[in-house]
Every structure is written in C-alpha cells, then in structure tokens.
Amino acid sequence: MAQLKIRDLYDLLHHAPRRRDLAQDGIRLVYDGSALRMSTADAPDTVIACADTCGFTTEPWDVTAYRASITSTQVWLRILTSEHGDHLIDVAPFWAQRPAAITFTAGGHTAAFPAIACPTAPANRRP
C-alpha cells in the first residue's frame, strides 16, 4: 500500500494521457516504498509523473490498471480534494481474489478496479 495526500494523488493522475492517445489501454503505477510513479502500458519505463508517499509504508508493488479506472478515480478525488486535500489516501493492489485489482481508499470509502497486470501479485492471482 502507498499512502499519499489526496491532492498529490489527484495531481499525479491528472498527468495520465487520454485513452485515445494510448495504443494499449493501461496506466502503470509503481510504488517503490517512497514514491508512486506513473507510466503507461505503451512505455512502462518512461515516468510521466511521480508523487512522494507519506505515512504507512509496505513492500513495493507494480500494477497496470485500465485508463477508465483512473478517470473514475480522478472524479472522486476532485470532490475529496476541495475539502480533504491534505488527508491521506491508500493506493494498493489487492489480490485476495482473482483477478488482482487496484484499490483507492479514503474517508471510509473504497474504489476497486480490475488490473490488467500485477507482476508483484502471487502467480495464482495475476490477471
């Protein structure tokens, strides 16, 4: 799990390219224990945006989510940012079920979306 300020996550996701600009419908989020980096499935090694994490830390993870999932999350974050921008939000892969998912949790609410790829999930839980 990565914890970020809601405002920082919103700013990071704001840099995601439009779906029509992607050959593959995937936004890659990589957490290394200190920062969350975003790239695309088209160019996974090219970092588009980065945000420092704060709060609780876990093991590193890597997940690629559908671009549409990121759009839905941005709408939710825009609402939260106006009143709670400095509060923390949890971003984490979730593989208790198959396929793996990416989850965003803040203020007692969780949004979960299926993952396209999650190489850090156990082999039997990968999409």
Side-chain angles (χ1 to χ4, degrees), residues 16-87:
R18 298 172 300 189
R19 276 180 83 186
R20 65 177 169 244
D21 294 335
L22 298 171
Q24 299 179 42
D25 182 22
I27 298 298
R28 183 173 179 235
L29 299 172
V30 177
Y31 170 62
D32 66 6
S34 63
L36 185 64
R37 290 172 176 72
M38 181 177 62
S39 60
T40 65
D42 295 347
D45 296 327
T46 303
V47 176
I48 297 169
C50 179
D52 290 332
T53 59
C54 52
F56 184 76
T57 60
T58 64
E59 295 294 318
W61 50 262
D62 179 337
V63 66
T64 302
Y66 293 97
R67 176 60 178 95
S69 303
I70 301 305
T71 301
S72 300
T73 303
Q74 284 176 295
V75 171
W76 178 47
L77 292 174
R78 187 173 351 164
I79 294 166
L80 289 176
T81 298
S82 63
E83 292 185 31
H84 309 287
D86 289 329
H87 291 189

Side-chain angles (χ1 to χ4, degrees), residues 9 29 70 73 76 89-91 102-106 109-111 113:
L9 180 60
L29 299 172
I70 301 305
T73 303
W76 178 47
I89 186 165
D90 300 336
V91 181
I102 181 77
T103 63
F104 302 90
T105 306
H109 300 283
T110 298
F113 303 98

